[in-house]
């Protein structure tokens, strides 16, 4: 039996608002995505994950859904969505979409009914609150006209559903069917661990994830068993990947049992510092505990990894060198990899966004104390030498830095030494040479990762001195030209054994 597509797929996250704008309003949209799909096919990914494009008042960039069965006019129409799926499939790309089951928008018809006192039990209304704080800052409860409160783990515009109500289950099964029937290949599940709250909503002394009553509860697994049974009835190996934040890989493993989700993001990899010991610990734990491993370095919620890694490096190109080396490590590991748009261009976090241009609720709910996530969401630079860099014709919804003139996809496509060319080479080589479910650690100098998978040896140097390469027949790819067969600090390479 051949392995299902998702098991070793490279999935490219498209943050739709910031990918490509075909309508000229400064915000990315579905026709913009469709127009750029050939770029992704050429890059060499297997699938795309689209962040929410549903009808939404955009209090949290579309993660506040008002209608789960329609496209927001700012992103296009259902016909545009169908055209996107058709084009993607023609190009051999699978399409995963985001599903947001923890909360809706306050503009969702159910919440509007709840405000009028109709069927409130679809949400979590209480006459008294507890001490829970919203993930974005501030209390997790908002008061309504009749004096009661509703729970929102995120922004006040994102009321949490009550998953103890069977109507919520039925509704989401129907929403999944709606999109499965339109041909989607899978779903990324937002806040997958948060749907159930402790029944009596007790006060917490812990944070959002660790031991909190808001965190993973056993009841949630029943939801994913229902969902798995649904997709298993469809042809074509449709898959779920969960946004699951847990404390331990053991907890994470519960979500990817054979009758639940196919995959979950491996945030331990993303959170690991630039250290061979830290990487090795995550790799060992993941490969031991998780049947279908995944790897991810960036997404639309975290500081881009070029910037994260750059902070500790001694060299000016350290951030980008480390990012390329970490890519080689993750693409050499068994399992699937999730890339975030723009990482193939080596984009850094944009830190200098003026307060009046910021959009992320985190910034506003913490009175500017936390910058929020806008810095990793700046619209992509496609071409040209000035903003909007081919993103569209209108002014982009977040300002693009002038330094991005050097980082456009057009410019990098023409440069064999660019980050984009490196990503294309790595993805092409991966298809040809990576095989097998196991890795073997090789002895290496201090603060290095040396491991072998099948006929490939992957080496990464997290230390601050150049190190000799292990014995090998051929060099396949390296983050920087190697002198005297030495791997420089922050460097990585693939070798044939
Ligand atoms: C996780 C999403 O990735 C994030 O962008 C969003 O703000 C929260 N879930 C709430 O939906």
């Amino acid at each position: 039996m051949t392995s299902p597509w998702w098991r070793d797929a490279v999935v490219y996250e498209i943050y739709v608002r910031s990918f490509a704008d075909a309508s000229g309003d400064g915000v990315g949209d579905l026709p913009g995505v469709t127009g750029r799909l050939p770029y992704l096919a050429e890059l060499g990914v297997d699938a795309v994950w689209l962040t929410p494009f549903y009808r939404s008042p955009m209090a949290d960039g579309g993660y506040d859904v008002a209608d789960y069965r329609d496209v927001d006019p700012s992103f296009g129409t259902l016909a545009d969505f169908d055209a996107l799926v058709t084009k993607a499939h023609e190009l051999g790309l699978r399409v995963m979409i985001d599903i947001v089951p923890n909360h809706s928008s306050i503009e969702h018809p159910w919440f509007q009914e709840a405000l009028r006192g109709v069927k409130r039990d679809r949400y979590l209304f209480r006459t008294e609150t507890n001490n829970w704080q919203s993930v974005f800052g501030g209390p997790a409860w908002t008061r309504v006209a009749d004096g009661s409160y509703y729970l929102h783990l995120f922004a006040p515009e994102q009321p949490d559903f009550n998953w103890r109500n069977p109507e919520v289950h039925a509704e989401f099964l129907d929403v999944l069917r709606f999109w499965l029937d339109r041909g989607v290949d899978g779903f990324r599940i937002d806040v997958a661990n948060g749907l159930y709250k402790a029944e009596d909503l007790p006060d917490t002394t812990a944070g959002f994830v660790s031991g909190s009553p808001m965190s993973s509860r056993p009841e949630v697994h029943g939801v994913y068993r229902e969902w798995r049974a649904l997709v298993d009835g469809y042809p074509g190996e449709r898959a779920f990947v969960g946004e699951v934040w847990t404390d331990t890989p053991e907890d994470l493993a519960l979500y990817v049992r054979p009758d639940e989700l196919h995959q979950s993001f491996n945030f331990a990899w993303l959170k690991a510092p630039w250290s061979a010991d830290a990487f090795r610990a995550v790799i060992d734990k993941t490969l031991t505990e998780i049947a279908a491993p995944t790897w991810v370095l960036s997404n639309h919620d975290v500081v881009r990894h070029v910037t994260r890694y750059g902070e500790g490096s001694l060299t000016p190109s350290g951030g980008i060198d480390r990012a390329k080396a970490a890519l080689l490590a993750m693409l050499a590991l068994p399992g699937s990899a999730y890339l975030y748009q723009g990482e193939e261009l080596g984009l850094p976090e944009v830190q200098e966004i003026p307060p009046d241009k910021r959009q992320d609720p985190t910034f506003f709910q913490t009175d500017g104390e936390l910058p929020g996530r806008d810095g990793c969401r700046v619209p992509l630079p496609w071409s040209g030498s000035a903003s909007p860099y081919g993103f569209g014709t209108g002014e982009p919804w977040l300002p693009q830095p002038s330094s991005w003139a050097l980082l456009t996809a057009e410019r990098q496509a023409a440069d064999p030494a660019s980050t984009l060319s490196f990503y294309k080479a790595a993805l092409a080589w991966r298809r040809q040479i990576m095989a097998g479910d196991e890795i073997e650690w090789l002895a290496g100098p201090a603060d290095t990762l040396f491991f072998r998978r099948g006929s490939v040896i992957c080496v990464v140097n997290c230390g601050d001195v150049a190190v000799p390469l292990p014995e090998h027949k051929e060099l396949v790819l390296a983050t920087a030209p190697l002198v005297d067969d030495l791997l420089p600090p922050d460097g990585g390479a693939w070798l044939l054994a």
Side-chain angles (χ1 to χ4, degrees):
M1 206 178 87
T2 55
S3 183
W5 68 272
W6 43 266
R7 194 168 277 281
D8 61 356
V10 177
V11 185
Y12 182 99
E13 178 189 352
I14 296 181
Y15 189 69
V16 178
R17 301 160 81 206
S18 303
F19 189 67
D21 168 25
S23 70
D25 65 355
V27 179
D29 48 39
L30 296 182
V33 174
T34 307
R36 297 286 184 183
L37 286 174
Y39 164 86
L40 296 179
E42 204 183 310
L43 176 60
V45 300
D46 302 296
V48 296
W49 144 33
L50 303 173
T51 55
F53 49 78
Y54 311 107
R55 259 184 201 276
S56 165
M58 305 289 162
D60 182 22
Y63 282 95
D64 48 320
V65 180
D67 183 348
Y68 288 86
R69 297 179 186 79
D70 202 1
V71 174
D72 193 82
S74 66
F75 294 135
T77 61
L78 277 173
D80 291 331
F81 177 80
D82 293 340
L84 187 161
V85 173
T86 303
K87 180 75 182 167
H89 287 167
E90 273 168 27
L91 291 166
L93 296 169
R94 312 246 180 185
V95 179
M96 302 184 86
I97 64 172
D98 226 301
I99 189 85
V100 188
N102 182 67
H103 46 262
S104 71
S105 157
I106 46 170
E107 290 187 12
H108 190 284
W110 280 13
F111 192 74
Q112 289 299 312
E113 284 183 357
L115 289 180
R116 297 195 298 271
V118 178
K119 297 197 178 179
R120 277 204 168 167
D121 194 41
R122 293 155 166 169
Y123 293 91
L124 292 161
F125 278 82
R126 294 289 183 275
T127 47
E128 280 173 34
T129 65
N130 62 15
N131 70 352
W132 293 4
Q133 293 291 297
S134 139
V135 176
F136 294 154
W141 296 92
T142 289
R143 194 164 183 265
V144 299
D146 69 3
S148 50
Y149 299 82
Y150 66 89
L151 178 73
H152 50 87
L153 296 188
F154 295 89
E157 296 86 352
Q158 293 168 296
D160 281 43
F161 284 115
N162 172 18
W163 274 89
R164 296 183 194 280
N165 181 339
E167 212 185 334
V168 176
H169 289 244
E171 173 66 2
F172 272 91
L173 283 170
D174 197 59
V175 167
L176 293 176
R177 268 187 226 108
F178 179 88
W179 294 104
L180 289 164
D181 291 341
R182 293 195 106 87
V184 304
D185 299 290
F187 299 89
R188 176 265 188 192
I189 306 168
D190 192 58
V191 198
N193 57 290
L195 310 193
Y196 278 84
K197 286 79 184 169
E199 205 141 11
D200 46 352
L201 304 178
D203 277 348
T204 178
T205 49
F208 174 55
V209 174
S210 296
S212 140
M214 296 189 237
S215 70
S216 193
R217 302 217 22 107
E219 299 93 317
V220 79
H221 297 289
V223 175
Y224 301 132
R225 284 189 205 106
E226 280 173 12
W227 290 15
R228 179 63 179 255
L230 174 73
V231 297
D232 281 352
Y234 275 81
E237 297 167 342
R238 322 288 174 104
F240 289 112
V241 57
E243 186 208 17
V244 184
W245 294 89
T246 62
D247 288 336
T248 63
E250 289 84 348
D251 268 355
L252 193 65
L254 298 176
Y255 285 80
V256 288
R257 286 177 288 191
D259 59 347
E260 295 195 35
L261 306 182
H262 303 76
Q263 294 182 327
S264 153
F265 293 119
N266 184 0
F267 291 122
W269 179 246
L270 174 155
K271 287 193 280 185
W274 180 254
S275 139
D277 285 347
F279 284 137
R280 184 168 172 159
V282 174
I283 293 170
D284 280 339
K285 268 271 186 196
T286 304
L287 296 182
T288 318
E289 303 286 345
I290 309 289
T294 65
W295 311 97
V296 61
L297 289 168
S298 277
N299 64 33
H300 65 281
D301 290 329
V302 299
V303 172
R304 284 187 178 274
H305 60 281
V306 165
T307 302
R308 291 199 321 260
Y309 288 152
E311 274 158 15
S313 170
L314 299 173
T315 59
S317 64
I320 196 80
D321 291 346
R322 289 176 176 190
K324 284 157 72 179
L327 177 81
L328 289 188
M330 86 171 180
L331 293 184
L333 289 165
S336 75
Y338 283 79
L339 308 181
Y340 176 50
Q341 68 179 38
E343 69 169 83
E344 78 280 16
L345 304 176
L347 295 187
E349 185 81 358
V350 180
Q351 277 153 335
E352 57 286 344
I353 301 174
D356 64 325
K357 297 278 184 195
R358 289 206 176 260
Q359 309 257 348
D360 185 357
T362 314
F363 179 75
F364 300 102
Q365 283 190 224
T366 60
D367 290 327
E369 202 178 304
L370 296 176
R373 303 158 295 177
D374 293 323
C376 64
R377 299 175 174 181
V378 173
L380 291 193
W382 289 97
S383 57
S385 54
S387 179
Y389 298 116
F391 172 69
T393 50
E395 185 188 339
W397 68 278
L398 285 171
Q400 300 163 304
S402 56
S403 55
W404 281 15
L406 299 177
L407 296 178
T408 63
E410 178 185 56
R411 191 180 169 115
Q412 294 200 41
D415 175 3
S418 67
T419 309
L420 178 60
S421 298
F422 180 82
Y423 265 70
K424 281 186 193 167
L427 290 166
W429 274 114
R430 181 181 196 267
R431 281 176 197 248
Q432 288 177 49
I433 59 176
M434 295 300 170
D437 287 339
E438 303 204 340
I439 65 161
E440 178 197 345
W441 291 107
L442 306 178
D447 220 2
T448 60
L449 285 181
F450 280 21
F451 66 87
R452 179 173 171 160
R453 177 171 172 210
S455 57
V456 183
I457 297 173
C458 176
V459 289
V460 175
N461 185 359
C462 300
D464 49 19
V465 289
V467 296
L469 296 177
E471 200 186 314
H472 62 280
K473 289 208 188 85
E474 207 181 305
L475 171 71
V476 177
L477 189 63
T479 52
L482 304 185
V483 181
D484 297 334
D485 258 7
L486 289 176
L487 184 67
D490 301 333
W494 284 348
L495 314 164
L496 290 185

